[in-house]
Amino acid sequence: MILMWLGSFVLMMLGLTMSQKNAAQLLQGFQKHFLDKNLDQPKMTKMFQYCLDVVLLDVSPQKSLYAGMAMYNLRIAGLRSSALVMCLSTLGAWWVALLGMLFLSFNGSFLLGLCFLGLVSVVMTPNVRTILKWILGAGIFLIGGELMLKNSNVLIMALGQSDFAFFLADGRFPAVASIMLAAIVISLAVRVEFWSLVLALSLVFVNVISINGAIALIAGERIGRMLLFWWHSRALNQDCRRVGMQFSLASIAGVILGLLLAGEVRVTMNMGYTAEMTAYQEKSLQLVILFLIILGVQFVAQMVWGHFGGNSKVDELQDAKYISKVWLSEEYASPGVYAWAKSKIHKRLSEVRYHLQGLGTLQEGQVPAHIQGRLKEEEQQLAQLESLMVSLTQ
């Protein structure tokens, strides 16, 4: 019987990822427009505007974060603009926050009906098809939430009066810390972002988990995402490793501070104390507000780091270590950014090959062996990366 509840959860996650993916695909052309204007603007206001537009049009904090680091690693954007994209990446959660506010306050069947009318009455151009898929994803998310609520009795009966049920409902520090640690571990294995928000929404409404445990679940995922980002950046060149570590530490500190602030706001505003099953919309709004508080403090911490980390001096001589295949996976790759970057990578590869051909005309010993080896290694990595880019953007 518990599979019925799990099926509703999977349906919500499917709708969330589907709506994010199609929204980003629809806005990809606008994103390329701002990327073509060059993010490395001399005026900070222009740079901030273009970087913010790129992030908002990605509709995914995780993809924007990895895109910012990738642009710097591939040398198609400077440190300041790349760091700014990384710092602004948290704002890419706008669509998820909107869906969270609509949860159980808007009928998903209406959106599915709208999609049906669009299918039978509109000429099916690629953009119209993408818009309908975007709406369809949102509708599936909302319907999944309604089904999850209907199947909540199954979960309550399964937990019963067990020790685990009392553990989830316990809002004290040991239980909250354990839930956050579990969320961190899960996030290291689960690539799909915002699973914790979906799970928290489903558990809070039926009073299975305390509000403290719900926000700890969300904070744990954010910390896990940053640990995973740091782990992936360890395989890049020296400065990317430095940026990845510093950014991750600043983000984790922001999440912890955001969790503490969200707890204080919950107590001050008396959130989460209602036991009435009719207060679904109020609980949804409360949890999304606490979710945004955590993200807001994390965003401030990232911007503070960016002020210093984005203006540090960079060593010109870097190892030829570029992003790997995992950076191009569906959960981390920004299709719009990488489609734009494909021509830049080809240009860089042509330059490296030109330099390698020039080395062949020089006498042996004129160019140090380590420089020749660095160029050959860079040529191999760029060629492999270009082939991966072609398969990604096809």
Side-chain angles (χ1 to χ4, degrees):
M1 295 295 289
I2 194 67
L3 293 179
M4 296 173 60
W5 181 85
L6 288 175
S8 305
F9 175 76
V10 171
L11 196 63
M12 288 182 68
M13 291 303 305
L14 175 65
L16 176 61
T17 54
M18 182 178 176
S19 62
Q20 281 184 296
K21 178 181 177 180
N22 286 283
Q25 183 178 347
L26 181 67
L27 302 173
Q28 184 175 325
F30 298 102
Q31 193 178 44
K32 184 178 183 299
H33 170 74
F34 291 108
L35 287 168
D36 286 336
K37 288 186 174 182
N38 187 10
L39 299 183
D40 294 309
Q41 294 290 324
K43 292 184 178 180
M44 188 61 193
T45 53
K46 280 290 184 183
M47 182 188 296
F48 185 89
Q49 177 189 342
Y50 294 161
C51 291
L52 179 61
D53 291 332
V54 169
V55 167
L56 294 179
L57 295 173
D58 240 342
V59 203
S60 169
Q62 184 166 263
K63 291 182 179 180
S64 297
L65 173 60
Y66 279 76
M69 177 65 88
M71 287 191 293
Y72 180 52
N73 176 250
L74 296 172
R75 303 177 188 180
I76 56 180
L79 176 58
R80 291 181 68 213
S81 58
S82 299
L84 186 55
V85 169
M86 293 167 60
C87 294
L88 294 171
S89 63
T90 304
L91 300 181
W94 65 270
W95 173 246
V96 178
L98 180 60
L99 281 181
M101 291 180 179
L102 293 176
F103 186 65
L104 297 181
S105 62
F106 193 86
N107 196 327
S109 300
F110 173 80
L111 296 180
L112 296 187
L114 191 63
C115 289
F116 176 76
L117 290 178
L119 287 173
V120 299
S121 61
V122 180
V123 178
M124 196 55 60
T125 64
N127 283 339
V128 171
R129 183 182 295 110
T130 304
I131 292 173
L132 292 177
K133 288 181 179 179
W134 185 4
I135 298 173
L136 178 64
I140 291 174
F141 173 83
L142 296 175
I143 287 180
E146 295 168 7
L147 292 176
M148 182 175 286
L149 187 61
K150 291 179 181 179
N151 296 326
S152 60
N153 289 333
V154 175
L155 179 63
I156 295 173
M157 291 174 60
L159 292 174
Q161 300 295 320
S162 63
D163 293 338
F164 185 61
F166 286 107
F167 169 79
L168 290 176
D170 188 359
R172 292 175 295 181
F173 177 78
V176 170
S178 300
I179 291 173
M180 185 170 70
L181 181 61
I184 292 173
V185 174
I186 293 173
S187 295
L188 297 178
V190 178
R191 293 183 176 184
V192 181
E193 59 183 338
F194 297 120
W195 63 266
S196 62
L197 177 63
V198 175
L199 185 59
L201 284 169
S202 61
L203 296 180
V204 163
F205 291 145
V206 291
N207 297 315
V208 169
I209 193 173
S210 65
I211 195 74
N212 286 346
I215 60 177
L217 195 68
I218 294 170
E221 186 197 350
R222 302 309 301 166
I223 293 175
R225 295 274 166 245
M226 291 303 106
L227 290 176
L228 200 60
F229 174 71
W230 163 75
W231 181 260
H232 288 152
S233 64
R234 288 174 65 252
L236 305 180
N237 58 39
Q238 304 98 303
D239 202 53
C240 287
R241 292 197 296 268
R242 175 190 67 83
V243 170
M245 175 176 286
Q246 292 180 359
F247 182 85
S248 298
L249 289 175
S251 299
I252 291 172
V255 171
I256 295 173
L257 291 175
L259 176 62
L260 296 175
L261 180 60
E264 290 297 322
V265 171
R266 182 196 66 80
V267 174
T268 303
M269 300 184 66
N270 201 30
M271 290 182 174
Y273 289 111
T274 176
E276 298 178 4
M277 296 298 289
T278 56
Y280 296 132
Q281 296 179 11
E282 182 183 351
K283 286 185 177 181
S284 173
L285 182 59
Q286 288 178 357
L287 188 59
V288 171
I289 289 173
L290 297 176
F291 165 72
L292 292 177
I293 289 174
I294 294 174
L295 291 188
V297 178
Q298 183 186 18
F299 169 71
V300 172
Q302 290 167 344
M303 292 298 290
V304 170
W305 169 84
H307 177 73
F308 300 98
N311 292 311
S312 60
K313 293 183 179 180
V314 181
D315 187 2
E316 293 296 331
L317 194 60
Q318 299 284 329
D319 293 336
K321 294 182 178 180
Y322 292 109
I323 58 175
S324 60
K325 187 177 181 179
V326 68
W327 289 69
L328 302 178
S329 60
E330 184 177 357
E331 295 82 7
Y332 302 130
S334 169
V337 171
Y338 286 132
W340 169 79
K342 186 168 61 174
S343 61
K344 309 290 183 182
I345 295 172
H346 180 75
K347 180 180 178 181
R348 175 66 182 170
L349 179 59
S350 300
E351 292 175 353
V352 172
R353 285 174 173 169
Y354 175 78
H355 290 309
L356 284 173
Q357 291 176 355
L359 291 177
T361 62
L362 300 176
Q363 296 181 359
E364 186 176 355
Q366 284 187 293
V367 180
H370 72 278
I371 294 181
Q372 296 184 42
R374 186 187 296 272
L375 283 173
K376 291 178 181 178
E377 182 183 0
E378 185 173 3
E379 190 269 340
Q380 292 175 356
Q381 290 201 32
L382 286 173
Q384 182 180 7
L385 190 59
E386 186 181 37
S387 63
L388 291 173
M389 286 282 191
V390 171
S391 61
L392 175 67
T393 55
Q394 281 180 345

